[in-house]
Amino acid sequence: MRRANHSLDAIQRWMQAVITWPGSLRDGLHSAEAKTHIAVEPEGIEKVIGRSMAMTGLERLSIYGNAYHARLLESMREEFPALVHALGREVFDQFSIGYLREY
């Protein structure tokens, strides 16, 4: 697949919009914010993020999305240790994920 020429700034802003969007990466790709930078469907993501020998462009992008959300969750645990203790980690994590998606 032929890669499109996008500026580094556009790629960075697009990537931030996609991985920080609440929900899935596919939702992020379809978000208006992401499309203001680069309009690409999941099937054409490799025009922006190339595939490696082992992973597709979407799989490579998901690494960053998962890491971003894991860091947010870890920050929530560190910020509210008493609540983690009171609720238990699993319930706290579910609550935090819902909160982060909403806000």
Side-chain angles (χ1 to χ4, degrees):
M1 176 174 291
R2 186 172 175 199
R3 293 188 63 192
N5 282 334
H6 299 288
S7 71
L8 178 59
D9 182 62
I11 293 171
Q12 289 174 328
R13 290 176 189 277
W14 168 82
M15 189 170 166
Q16 180 180 9
V18 172
I19 67 174
T20 61
W21 189 260
S24 71
L25 283 179
R26 291 182 184 275
D27 293 340
L29 286 168
H30 289 103
S31 71
E33 183 180 355
K35 288 185 176 196
T36 63
H37 304 292
I38 299 173
V40 63
E41 295 297 321
E43 304 79 38
I45 197 167
E46 290 173 7
K47 292 179 181 177
V48 182
I49 305 290
R51 66 182 308 123
S52 70
M53 291 179 65
M55 294 189 290
T56 66
L58 190 59
E59 290 169 333
R60 292 178 70 199
L61 185 61
S62 72
I63 291 171
Y64 291 96
N66 291 337
Y68 172 77
H69 289 94
R71 285 191 301 274
L72 286 176
L73 191 54
E74 185 61 31
S75 294
M76 294 286 286
R77 288 186 205 120
E78 289 176 12
E79 190 68 27
F80 303 102
L83 197 52
V84 173
H85 180 74
L87 296 176
R89 187 170 170 158
E90 185 176 332
V91 172
F92 178 83
D93 286 357
Q94 290 173 352
F95 170 79
S96 295
I97 289 168
Y99 175 83
L100 291 168
R101 284 188 177 147
E102 184 70 25
Y103 301 102

